[in-house]
Amino acid sequence: MALTFFRSSAEILQDIEQTINMAILSTLTESKANKLLEKISDELLPVLYDHHSALKVLYSSDVISGHWLHSLQKTYIKWISDNLTNCQFNILNPSQSVTVELSTKFLLAIFETWLTQPFPEDPIIFRSTFGQLTNMSIVDCFNYVDSNN
């Protein structure tokens, strides 16, 4: 095995990002699942978990996270858009492109929140939480309590 030498910490981070992105895209491309959320919950969550230590660093660093999130959004907005060809959109407004962008950012927020926990749940356990989160509206996350009673 040949040693790789890096000229800067930025090159190290770029290599880490590329390695993780290749693993993710390879998994998603090779997936046999027909439904987008099935691909993610059954096949992508374990890959993300395998890289959770490196992903936690990428998500947690102020300098890195902006670049990392922008890179993820750009890559996965395209991937999700390409994989929603058989879908009927339930929202008339905003446009399809805005819906895809919002959906992508929502999924990335779930991944980031899960993977930056001190001890992220095993993907087999987290799969259930992921399913619940992707099947609910934000207003389902909490209830308003009347403080006057």
Side-chain angles (χ1 to χ4, degrees), residues 36-37 40 44 59 69 72-84 87-112 130 133-138:
L36 178 73
L37 293 177
I40 293 170
L44 180 60
Y59 279 126
L69 290 174
L72 284 176
Q73 288 171 9
K74 193 168 87 174
T75 300
Y76 297 103
I77 284 173
K78 179 180 178 357
W79 183 84
I80 287 175
S81 183
D82 291 348
N83 281 274
L84 290 178
C87 290
Q88 176 180 351
F89 287 85
N90 297 329
I91 302 173
L92 298 177
N93 280 321
S95 68
Q96 179 175 336
S97 64
V98 171
T99 303
V100 168
E101 184 176 347
L102 287 169
S103 300
T104 302
K105 289 179 178 182
F106 177 65
L107 290 170
L108 293 175
I110 292 171
F111 301 152
E112 178 180 2
F130 178 77
L133 291 170
T134 57
N135 283 304
M136 65 191 322
S137 165
I138 192 161

Side-chain angles (χ1 to χ4, degrees), residues 24 32 70 84 88 125 137-138 146:
I24 291 169
K32 302 294 184 232
H70 178 72
L84 290 178
Q88 176 180 351
I125 297 168
S137 165
I138 192 161
D146 186 358

Side-chain angles (χ1 to χ4, degrees), residues 8-23:
S8 67
S9 58
E11 283 186 0
I12 295 169
L13 294 171
Q14 184 178 24
D15 186 64
I16 292 169
E17 286 180 26
Q18 287 176 342
T19 300
I20 293 170
N21 271 334
M22 285 188 334

